[in-house]
Amino acid sequence: MVRLLLLCCIGVTHCAAAGPITPGKIIDTVYCEADPSQSYALYIPLKGDREPLPVVYFFDSHGAGALPLRKYKALADAYGFIFIGSNNSKNGNDWGTSETIWRRLSEDTRRRLKINGARIYTIGFSGGAKVASYVAIQHSEVKGVVANGAGLPDGVSAGDFAFSFTAVAGEGDMNRTDLVELDGALDRTRTRHRMLLFDGKHEWAPENTMRTAFTGWQLDAMVARLIPRDEVFINTWIGKSKERVETNSRENRLIRARQECRLSMQLLDGLADAGWFKQKAASLEANAEYRKQQQQEEGLLVTEQNTKAEYMQHFQQGDIAYWSKTIDGLRVKAGAKTAETGMYQRLLAYLSLAFYSISNQMINAGENGAARHFTGLYKMADPTNSEAWYFSAILDVREGNGRAAENDLLTAVSYGFNDKRRLRQQPEFNHSSPGIDLAGIERKMHE
């Protein structure tokens, strides 16, 4: 990774303070000239920026601006997009803060970079997905949103949006059900939209899934005549999509075959004949085995909702033994390759989110005993989540155990915690806290 201070720059190919910016290399920190407290990660595709390029603004839930750029930079090269990832947008920000972040980000990047103003897009994960949607709703220049792991801002319903909306979720994502419902609600609007599912949990989607989202944007741009119609590109998509339909049908994954038909019908709307996919979808819907699989999936959703209701009853009265048995059982079932695997993954993710929310509430209220109980459950349900160990470290300090706090913080760092500002501002983790080497912990973040 390259860390450069970019201030008082002219253009994008050269900066007086930092020298030339090399296409094909990620710059993990670019400070906004008007507000150096705001920064972003930047990637210029290998083709360079001799002409204005389409741009994607990424919003990670933990402010890790460079993370999605590293994960998807091959797509920037393949499609010729500039990638920008906010280092300030994160869960917990209010909408006023998110608006300020967007304005600083947009103003700075438009001033520095050769951006095609007709092709501006946003992508976010989890809470960042809601930020990506918020920005598009508030700013008409955004032409498309990819909402990975969450949907619209709370209180916002599906409507006739001026941007395309791509919902993305893992089969084991606790928000999958909500995103499927949102996709159905968008069916009743004039918004171009699609739903992409992948084998995974609540996480940034794999590159191949995100490649499909970029394909959607290219086809959207052709429909809107923002780019020339590309018959080779269109026919390549149609051919590969037909192959996926046939493969899923042969392997008796009929729901996935139907989902692929629906996706192509949505992407090709207004662009090309989707008759083959419509006929195939109708054939699948008339298939008794398809209807059986659909009924099984609907039954699993009912079971999932009933199980969540049972958990709700145990949040206040369930003891460690109950939760230990429950979580161990879920983990075993979530690791098996069955039709129920996704449901059990979603239930584990649901418990992780619930224990996070309750732990955070108890910590903020100073109810340390209850906070310790739920933080322990949080670590049990999601042992590699850095936030669980961060919470544990806060409680360690409150209990007078600085050594345990440092160990828990180092564990949090090993699982991806890298928010130095939050660490420094946390009242429990200041220089007067005995047994905590903040400088050493920050060095571990770099390592």
Side-chain angles (χ1 to χ4, degrees):
M1 299 297 293
V2 181
R3 180 180 176 85
L4 296 176
L5 176 63
L6 300 183
L7 291 173
C8 304
C9 298
I10 300 175
V12 65
T13 57
H14 187 274
C15 172
I21 300 173
T22 305
K25 287 191 176 182
I26 294 173
I27 302 172
D28 66 355
T29 307
V30 180
Y31 294 99
C32 292
E33 186 175 7
D35 182 0
S37 70
Q38 304 283 334
S39 71
Y40 53 91
L42 172 66
Y43 182 76
I44 305 294
L46 284 169
K47 67 179 286 186
D49 66 324
R50 295 180 182 87
E51 60 185 16
L53 299 179
V55 62
V56 181
Y57 293 91
F58 288 89
F59 300 96
D60 179 68
S61 56
H62 296 294
L67 188 156
L69 275 59
R70 292 195 299 271
K71 191 173 184 67
Y72 304 124
K73 70 172 185 160
L75 301 180
D77 294 332
Y79 293 95
F81 277 72
I82 295 171
F83 278 6
I84 295 164
S86 171
N87 290 325
N88 297 86
S89 180
K90 66 185 72 174
N91 289 349
N93 289 342
D94 58 29
W95 292 123
T97 300
S98 295
E99 178 67 23
T100 298
I101 290 170
W102 167 252
R103 289 188 180 278
R104 293 285 186 268
L105 197 61
S106 177
E107 291 167 1
D108 197 79
T109 54
R110 289 194 188 196
R111 184 168 55 251
R112 296 177 192 267
L113 310 174
K114 293 180 182 176
I115 289 175
N116 180 346
R119 299 200 64 196
I120 297 173
Y121 304 91
T122 60
I123 297 180
F125 168 65
S126 193
K130 296 187 177 185
V131 174
S133 300
Y134 166 85
V135 169
I137 291 168
Q138 298 296 322
H139 300 276
S140 60
E141 66 267 29
V142 177
K143 294 298 189 292
V145 172
V146 173
N148 187 161
L152 299 172
D154 294 343
V156 177
S157 301
D160 295 327
F161 299 131
F163 52 87
S164 67
F165 187 87
T166 305
V168 180
E171 292 287 357
D173 193 321
M174 67 279 193
N175 291 327
R176 174 190 180 278
T177 304
D178 292 339
L179 285 170
V180 170
E181 290 179 359
L182 173 58
D183 186 58
L186 286 168
D187 284 343
R188 298 185 290 275
T189 72
R190 290 177 290 181
T191 300
R192 284 183 68 87
H193 67 283
R194 70 275 321 193
M195 176 89 203
L196 306 179
L197 297 171
F198 63 91
D199 291 327
K201 53 184 182 178
H202 187 64
E203 59 190 341
W204 278 104
E207 182 186 300
N208 281 342
T209 302
M210 201 61 76
R211 184 179 296 273
T212 301
F214 275 73
T215 296
W217 281 349
Q218 292 297 95
L219 297 174
D220 290 342
M222 292 180 204
V223 171
R225 299 184 179 180
L226 297 175
I227 61 175
R229 182 184 178 90
D230 186 335
E231 296 295 343
V232 173
F233 188 90
I234 295 169
N235 290 330
T236 297
W237 168 263
I238 291 174
K240 290 183 177 179
S241 184
K242 286 181 177 180
E243 288 178 10
R244 288 190 290 270
V245 172
E246 297 291 12
T247 298
N248 283 317
S249 296
R250 284 195 306 272
E251 296 177 357
N252 202 36
R253 297 195 299 264
L254 303 186
I255 290 178
R256 288 197 176 187
R258 177 63 179 84
Q259 290 169 343
E260 182 69 32
C261 289
R262 183 172 188 268
L263 175 62
S264 279
M265 284 161 23
Q266 291 170 321
L267 292 180
L268 298 174
D269 184 32
L271 191 65
D273 180 20
W276 186 92
F277 296 101
K278 293 177 182 178
Q279 292 176 6
K280 193 69 176 179
S283 175
L284 286 166
E285 290 166 1
N287 186 311
E289 177 61 23
Y290 169 80
R291 292 197 297 269
K292 177 183 176 182
Q293 292 181 17
Q294 189 178 42
Q295 289 173 355
Q296 289 174 339
E297 184 169 277
E298 291 171 353
L300 287 176
L301 291 176
V302 171
T303 299
E304 183 177 338
Q305 292 303 110
N306 291 339
T307 304
K308 288 179 180 178
E310 177 188 335
Y311 293 161
M312 288 286 289
Q313 296 176 357
H314 284 273
F315 283 146
Q316 297 303 325
Q317 60 192 37
D319 57 18
I320 291 294
Y322 168 84
W323 287 116
S324 179
K325 180 180 178 181
T326 297
I327 291 168
D328 287 346
L330 285 176
R331 187 166 286 115
V332 170
K333 293 173 182 176
K337 296 297 182 181
T338 68
E340 296 83 15
T341 297
M343 179 187 71
Y344 292 121
Q345 290 175 339
R346 291 192 295 273
L347 288 171
L348 263 178
Y350 168 77
L351 287 180
S352 172
L353 180 60
F355 292 144
Y356 160 80
S357 299
I358 299 172
S359 297
N360 189 46
Q361 180 182 350
M362 295 298 105
I363 287 172
N364 291 336
E367 298 182 20
N368 297 333
R372 175 59 76 184
H373 171 73
F374 284 104
T375 297
L377 296 177
Y378 187 15
K379 290 193 289 185
M380 189 185 301
D382 201 352
T384 61
N385 192 311
S386 63
E387 198 71 6
W389 295 94
Y390 186 86
F391 283 173
S392 184
I394 291 174
L395 295 171
D396 290 335
V397 173
R398 292 182 181 181
E399 294 162 0
N401 195 337
R403 184 175 297 276
E406 180 168 335
N407 289 335
D408 281 347
L409 284 173
L410 289 171
T411 302
V413 170
S414 72
Y415 290 135
F417 179 82
N418 63 358
D419 193 339
K420 288 192 281 188
R421 177 179 296 181
R422 181 183 177 194
L423 184 69
R424 289 287 181 180
Q425 292 180 347
Q426 187 73 41
E428 288 81 1
F429 306 143
N430 55 50
H431 289 294
S432 63
S433 299
I436 301 180
D437 179 10
L438 286 184
I441 291 168
E442 291 179 0
R443 284 194 298 271
K444 287 291 184 181
M445 291 182 189
H446 287 294
E447 293 173 9

